[in-house]
Amino acid sequence: MQHDPALPFKLDIESAAVWMDGLSVTNTRECCRVLYPALRSLNGSSVEPRLRFTILERCRLTVTRLEKGLVPYFLDKPFPLDGKTRKIASLCSRFHSELASGYRQVVEAETFAETFDAHEQALIFRRAFESYASCLLRTAQIYEAHPLSSWSSVFDLFQLAEQRGLSNAVQSYEISGAVSVALFFKVILLFGIAVPGTLGQRDMQRLYDFLVARAESVKIESSPVSNGTRAVLSFDLTVAGTIMPVPAPAPVDKPGLRFLFMDRLLNELRGEIRMHGKPEENPLTLILPRLGGRLPHQPELTARSAAVSFGIDAIAITVRLVERRRVGGAARDPWSNLEQLELAPLSTESRSEILGSKSTGTFAAALVSGAGGKDDSPGTGFRDMRSVKVYRSELPGFYIVDSGGQVFRVGDLISLNTDDEIIQVGVVRGGQIHNGQFCYSVELIGNQPCSVLFLGEPPGGRPQNALMFLGSGGLVIPSVKLRGGDTIFVEQRNAKKAFRVAKVLESNGNFCHVALTTAEEPASFG
């Protein structure tokens, strides 16, 4: 095999080993300066699978040692990071991303099956998943979005493991015991839908470590029912990154559909939370419904009617219409009619008053069923809305929503409007059977959004609809690639204002939720 001039060593194991042994891992910056480009060049070179795997294994050990020197650059630091610090901090995730890419090249090689025995094949798949999982953790800890392309790679890799009969393979180790090839695939899946960007950095690590230790208890099956237990979430291998709550009855005619059985893991997570003080004060309590756990609910005689809009564009239109109707009528304090408000605000001292509301949802019912033929009809301008029934949850910030047959995915953005005045925006997290009907768990991310236009940097592109929340609610924009410290522009009523991205709290194919800071404001701690 010819020498690749982009690599600092010849393409044989002896030369690679000599070069690796010469790296000084005690000098973190210098070692990163030479190792990262070498790893990238290796992934861009044509290398025999056995040699590539051997070199990757040596690189993996070095990266593990380098991480200890890189983590202090971003752990417990204020965000957004300055440009130089961010570049150093991001090396953790970039190293693991390159390792994952390298291991994936090995498993996709035409000679993979004949080059490696069954034990080695299982190990290489596991290494690839573990590298993707480590990349996901380190990306979350610097509050940036994991690339959507990585999700496709992870799902493709799992599908390939299934095709080769390795997805259920188990390896035995003296220290850790039996470990399945799919362990870190489960960790990736669960850590991703747990929305780690809303947690503190150390809570992210706690969650990640818990999943690594307990994710083996999660079962992935092709049937929605196993041993009398019903799955709570599902994913489709043919549509990478699409997670769905499992409705009743569950679909069974899709070959690529896989079902997640997580009752045992959820029970263990509840126990873990109880071990560390009051559950209501533990940030990981919010993770339970995000992983498909049932929401506790308050008994109500009747459900509350609400009108739902789906997606940023539809919600922005609804917000503008409501604002025009409000301005056209008598201006009122948004919180002056609490006795008529059906949905409790996300965070307010008046919550106890709202719990006694006697509202029956007459506005919302008329809103979605009105003929809309007259200007004063509640249905005017709202014909794309659908009616849903909403139940309060005992977990603050969550609702149980009976969609009336509408199908939502995990991560879908919706708004709830009951009184033509206050709109609440939330994200679909999971589902459960409530009062004999399949309902969705919805987590609120903000109240009373303003409809604005979003422009990236430079602001020469087409403006896009966005939702801005007052206070600390941040900004919800279409799914775009953003990093901490990036400058964005928000336009409202023909006035533009520049902001910096402090943190990416959540990002998927539907939307991106970011915390903002102005150029004059100091950074905030993670």
Side-chain angles (χ1 to χ4, degrees):
M1 187 174 291
Q2 294 183 345
H3 172 59
D4 188 331
L7 286 169
F9 49 81
K10 294 181 180 179
L11 285 174
D12 60 73
I13 189 57
E14 291 79 11
S15 298
V18 169
W19 183 81
M20 293 289 293
D21 290 339
L23 294 176
S24 176
V25 293
T26 57
N27 188 336
T28 302
R29 289 198 180 192
E30 178 61 21
C31 190
C32 290
R33 188 186 67 81
V34 295
L35 179 60
Y36 181 71
L39 193 52
R40 292 199 65 184
S41 296
L42 177 67
N43 285 337
S45 301
S46 177
V47 183
E48 184 269 327
R50 170 69 68 181
L51 177 60
R52 185 187 298 278
F53 172 60
T54 304
I55 296 174
L56 286 171
E57 287 291 89
R58 291 292 303 270
C59 289
R60 186 183 70 87
L61 294 174
T62 304
V63 168
T64 300
R65 296 172 67 183
L66 285 175
E67 263 192 308
K68 297 178 181 179
L70 291 171
V71 167
Y73 280 96
F74 59 84
L75 190 64
D76 299 326
K77 293 294 188 290
F79 283 82
L81 301 171
D82 64 78
K84 184 177 180 181
T85 303
R86 187 212 152 269
K87 187 175 181 180
I88 297 173
S90 67
L91 274 172
C92 270
S93 61
R94 287 190 286 159
F95 266 126
H96 289 297
S97 178
E98 293 298 332
L99 286 173
S101 177
Y103 285 118
R104 184 179 176 184
Q105 288 188 56
V106 176
V107 303
E108 291 179 342
E110 292 183 2
T111 58
F112 177 72
E114 59 195 60
T115 302
F116 302 97
D117 61 31
H119 178 81
E120 290 175 318
Q121 291 179 36
L123 174 63
I124 297 168
F125 268 100
R126 182 171 178 269
R127 288 280 195 258
F129 285 129
E130 185 175 2
S131 297
Y132 276 120
S134 297
C135 178
L136 180 60
L137 168 66
R138 297 311 185 191
T139 301
Q141 286 186 312
I142 58 173
Y143 295 99
E144 295 189 358
H146 198 58
L148 293 178
S149 59
S150 293
W151 289 109
S152 297
S153 298
V154 168
F155 278 82
D156 289 346
L157 196 64
F158 182 76
Q159 193 168 21
L160 187 59
E162 278 197 336
Q163 293 170 357
R164 295 182 177 175
L166 294 170
S167 60
N168 294 318
V170 175
Q171 295 179 297
S172 297
Y173 299 91
E174 291 184 7
I175 298 177
S176 57
V179 178
S180 73
V181 168
L183 168 64
F184 281 98
F185 173 74
K186 298 173 186 177
V187 171
I188 295 167
L189 208 58
L190 301 178
F191 192 76
I193 62 178
V195 195
T198 60
L199 300 172
Q201 292 170 310
R202 294 187 183 274
D203 286 323
M204 292 182 199
Q205 187 70 59
R206 283 177 55 207
L207 174 62
Y208 183 87
D209 292 342
F210 171 83
L211 292 175
V212 171
R214 308 296 177 86
E216 288 285 24
S217 66
V218 175
K219 303 301 179 186
I220 300 176
E221 307 283 354
S222 57
S223 172
V225 178
S226 178
N227 296 324
T229 302
R230 183 174 173 274
V232 294
L233 296 173
S234 67
F235 62 92
D236 192 337
L237 286 172
T238 63
V239 187
T242 300
I243 313 295
M244 300 280 292
V246 179
V252 293
D253 57 346
K254 293 185 177 181
L257 208 57
R258 298 293 180 269
F259 297 89
L260 295 169
F261 295 85
M262 303 196 297
D263 285 355
R264 182 178 167 187
L265 179 131
L266 291 171
N267 287 333
E268 291 175 341
L269 180 55
R270 292 185 185 99
E272 180 78 10
I273 291 171
R274 286 193 295 268
M275 288 175 58
H276 295 86
K278 298 179 180 179
E280 61 270 21
E281 298 176 357
N282 193 322
L284 295 188
T285 298
L286 298 179
I287 301 303
L288 289 166
R290 295 176 186 174
L291 295 181
R294 287 183 60 84
L295 284 173
H297 64 277
Q298 299 181 2
E300 295 185 4
L301 295 178
T302 58
R304 312 303 179 93
S305 295
V308 64
S309 296
F310 168 71
I312 290 180
D313 289 336
I315 296 172
I317 292 172
T318 300
V319 171
R320 291 196 291 267
L321 288 171
V322 169
E323 177 65 12
R324 283 205 295 267
R325 290 163 65 87
R326 187 190 69 79
V327 172
R332 295 176 294 177
D333 185 325
W335 303 112
S336 63
N337 297 315
L338 290 178
E339 73 282 1
Q340 299 176 12
L341 182 63
E342 298 182 79
L343 303 181
L346 183 63
S347 177
T348 174
E349 296 177 356
S350 304
R351 185 175 177 84
S352 59
E353 298 179 39
I354 298 170
L355 295 182
S357 169
K358 303 298 182 182
S359 174
T360 58
T362 53
F363 168 78
L367 186 67
V368 294
S369 61
K374 299 180 180 180
D375 290 341
D376 58 353
S377 167
T380 301
F382 295 91
R383 295 184 184 89
D384 61 335
M385 287 187 175
R386 295 286 300 275
S387 178
V388 297
K389 296 178 180 179
V390 181
Y391 300 88
R392 297 191 185 101
S393 166
E394 291 181 357
L395 185 61
F398 284 84
Y399 292 139
I400 301 170
V401 176
D402 181 350
S403 68
Q406 297 178 79
V407 177
F408 294 124
R409 300 170 300 177
V410 172
D412 279 347
L413 188 74
I414 66 172
S415 69
L416 298 168
N417 177 18
T418 60
D419 66 346
D420 198 21
E421 187 173 352
I422 294 176
I423 293 177
Q424 295 183 295
V425 178
V427 184
V428 175
R429 297 302 187 199
Q432 64 190 66
I433 303 297
H434 180 72
N435 286 349
Q437 299 294 324
F438 179 76
C439 299
Y440 291 94
S441 304
V442 175
E443 181 178 6
L444 298 178
I445 60 174
N447 295 315
Q448 205 68 356
C450 299
S451 177
V452 299
L453 294 176
F454 158 74
L455 303 94
E457 184 185 24
R462 181 178 64 86
Q464 301 182 76
N465 284 320
L467 304 170
M468 177 168 276
F469 299 91
L470 301 178
S472 59
L475 180 73
V476 175
I477 58 179
S479 183
V480 295
K481 184 178 180 180
L482 288 176
R483 301 180 303 184
D486 283 353
T487 300
I488 62 174
F489 296 85
V490 172
E491 180 178 328
Q492 185 179 22
R493 298 187 180 93
N494 297 320
K496 292 182 182 178
K497 186 175 181 180
F499 293 91
R500 292 178 68 209
V501 175
K503 299 176 181 178
V504 177
L505 303 175
E506 181 173 6
S507 181
N508 56 39
N510 304 313
F511 69 93
C512 183
H513 183 198
V514 298
L516 300 175
T517 180
T518 61
E520 296 78 21
E521 291 178 337
S524 61
F525 284 84

